[in-house]
Amino acid sequence: MRITKVDHWLVRMPFTEDILWGSGRRIGTTRLVCRIETDAGIIGWGETISLIANVPAVFADIVAPLAIGYQVSDVERLHRHVLGAGFYHHKRAAVMAIAALEMAMWDALGKQAKLPLYALWGGKWRQDVEAAAYLFTNEPKGLTERLQRFLDRGYETFKVKIGFDERTDITLAEAAREVIGSHPLRLDVNGAWHPGTAKRQLEKLRPFDPAYVEQPLELDDLAGHAALVANSPVPIALDESAYTLADVGNIVRASAADVVLLDPHEAGGLWQTIKAAAICEAVGIPVTLHSGAELALSQSAYIHLAASIPNLSLAIDTERAYLGGDISPNSPILTDGRFAIPEEPGLGVDVDVDTLERYTVDGIAGAYLDTSRKDWFPTKPAY
């Protein structure tokens, strides 16, 4: 079964509230959605995160033209073909664009096989998928109110953005622990700390028993993260440092993380994510999935990954609670903080093209800079 046509849309789904984090303010999620047609008459759909303008450019100029004529099963070859077209120099500019097409290939292959994707990747390891509540605010009172809402909806794992400044790192963690009791608490710094700050802050945060502190240092500082892993009783998780398969290999070589967050969009596909998880599994590192506010296609892909990968044993991140809508009439549904696993062939979700076109945009807005602070921009590390 070969690809005969590729279409794509750039869509922006607004959030129900602005998301505030140490790197800026997000007003919605911009996604690239693609559709492939095949010579067997089977349609495949894919989705990727689109934070910067290179994603639709690389997709339109390189990924989509190369895909014509490809067997839908040749996902590894397509990934390497794009890198071989000069993007081995610029992996981080290419992986997000590759991911949309690769997901559509898997969707079509699953439909051809009449199997859900998890069945193509080793079968169902777990019966449902836990999701972590994700909190974005620098105000302890606002955090407390939001945490209680998630608790009331049945969530059992909680992730809180810190990394705004030294004081709120501690007050936000303290406020969160008071509300959630003994439930797992994740704290995400987004690379805001200097190494010396990390030593001090980790010691101050230790009484709040974080499940892990995520990306405490700048993303390229594997040596600094390895030193924290070796010397801190607080587990260290890496996300921005762990985009590509090579990134994950380097993290494992350096002993730079206790937990790794994976993301198929930032790895260049679902298959690359499965391989990265296996590298971590071989050395006993658990993994989970980073969220960039996935719409139905990517959310379903996440669920299939989490259903089938044994060491994807931690609740996956999700920003689903903030989405102002979706592009599918049968999007994955969260119940008591858990996703049911789709059983239909492929991704197991449909796309409403009219809705897709209603949210189509020409460009990307609100990914990082905070428009309420005209001259402000994030720096890494910040303090």
Side-chain angles (χ1 to χ4, degrees), residues 20 62 75 92 188 199 221 241 256 262 280 300 308 320 368:
L20 184 66
I62 303 295
V75 294
R92 290 184 177 228
D188 186 4
K199 293 177 185 178
D221 190 4
S241 299
L262 303 174
C280 293
S300 181
S308 59
R320 196 145 194 85
Y368 286 99

Side-chain angles (χ1 to χ4, degrees), residues 204-225:
K204 292 177 184 177
L205 291 169
R206 183 177 176 181
F208 307 116
D209 190 27
Y212 56 72
V213 169
E214 181 179 329
Q215 202 66 51
L217 307 178
E218 197 272 334
L219 65 90
D220 292 316
D221 190 4
L222 291 191
H225 284 113

Side-chain angles (χ1 to χ4, degrees), residues 40 86 89 125 272 302 359 369:
H89 291 301
W125 179 258
Q272 302 304 313
Y302 273 37
Y359 288 104
L369 296 179

Side-chain angles (χ1 to χ4, degrees), residues 105-365:
M105 294 168 76
W106 279 113
D107 187 38
L109 185 65
K111 290 171 179 175
Q112 183 187 45
K114 295 182 173 56
L115 291 171
L117 292 190
Y118 73 77
L120 303 180
W121 299 334
K124 190 187 292 185
W125 179 258
R126 48 188 58 86
Q127 298 304 309
D128 60 15
V129 174
E130 185 186 356
Y134 209 164
L135 288 302
F136 304 83
T137 179
N138 60 357
E139 298 176 352
K141 184 176 184 297
L143 176 63
T144 296
E145 294 168 351
R146 289 168 171 82
L147 283 166
Q148 190 60 55
R149 290 202 295 267
F150 280 111
L151 264 175
D152 293 343
R153 290 159 60 183
Y155 287 81
E156 297 181 343
T157 298
F158 300 84
K159 177 171 174 173
V160 174
K161 289 284 190 186
I162 58 174
F164 298 101
D165 55 60
E166 284 197 46
R167 181 185 62 82
T168 58
D169 287 342
I170 311 307
T171 57
L172 291 170
E174 182 178 21
R177 182 53 76 198
E178 287 178 358
V179 174
I180 69 172
S182 60
H183 289 300
L185 172 63
R186 305 170 178 180
L187 301 171
D188 186 4
V189 182
N190 285 114
W193 292 345
H194 293 288
T197 303
K199 293 177 185 178
R200 296 172 57 249
Q201 296 297 80
L202 286 170
E203 184 60 29
K204 292 177 184 177
L205 291 169
R206 183 177 176 181
F208 307 116
D209 190 27
Y212 56 72
V213 169
E214 181 179 329
Q215 202 66 51
L217 307 178
E218 197 272 334
L219 65 90
D220 292 316
D221 190 4
L222 291 191
H225 284 113
L228 295 179
V229 168
N231 294 289
S232 172
V234 176
I236 302 299
L238 291 184
D239 172 20
E240 292 98 321
S241 299
Y243 276 17
T244 68
L245 188 67
D247 289 341
V248 174
N250 288 333
I251 288 167
V252 169
R253 286 193 191 99
S255 299
D258 299 298
V259 175
V260 172
L261 283 87
L262 303 174
D263 186 325
H265 315 98
E266 294 162 350
L270 303 170
W271 185 242
Q272 302 304 313
T273 304
I274 292 167
K275 293 196 296 180
I279 291 172
C280 293
E281 182 182 9
V283 294
I285 294 176
V287 300
T288 184
L289 295 174
H290 157 269
S291 178
E294 296 72 40
L295 300 181
L297 297 165
S298 288
Q299 189 66 79
S300 181
Y302 273 37
I303 297 166
H304 285 287
L305 288 170
S308 59
I309 296 174
N311 64 319
L312 214 160
S313 52
L314 305 174
I316 65 173
D317 287 354
T318 183
E319 297 174 22
R320 196 145 194 85
Y322 302 98
L323 291 179
D326 209 336
I327 58 171
S328 171
N330 58 336
S331 302
I333 296 174
L334 266 169
T335 305
D336 296 328
R338 293 183 175 271
F339 285 108
I341 298 167
E343 298 293 347
E344 295 78 11
L347 289 168
V349 295
D350 303 312
V351 174
D352 184 324
V353 177
D354 289 340
T355 303
L356 186 67
E357 292 181 346
R358 185 164 71 250
Y359 288 104
T360 297
V361 292
D362 296 325
I364 298 162

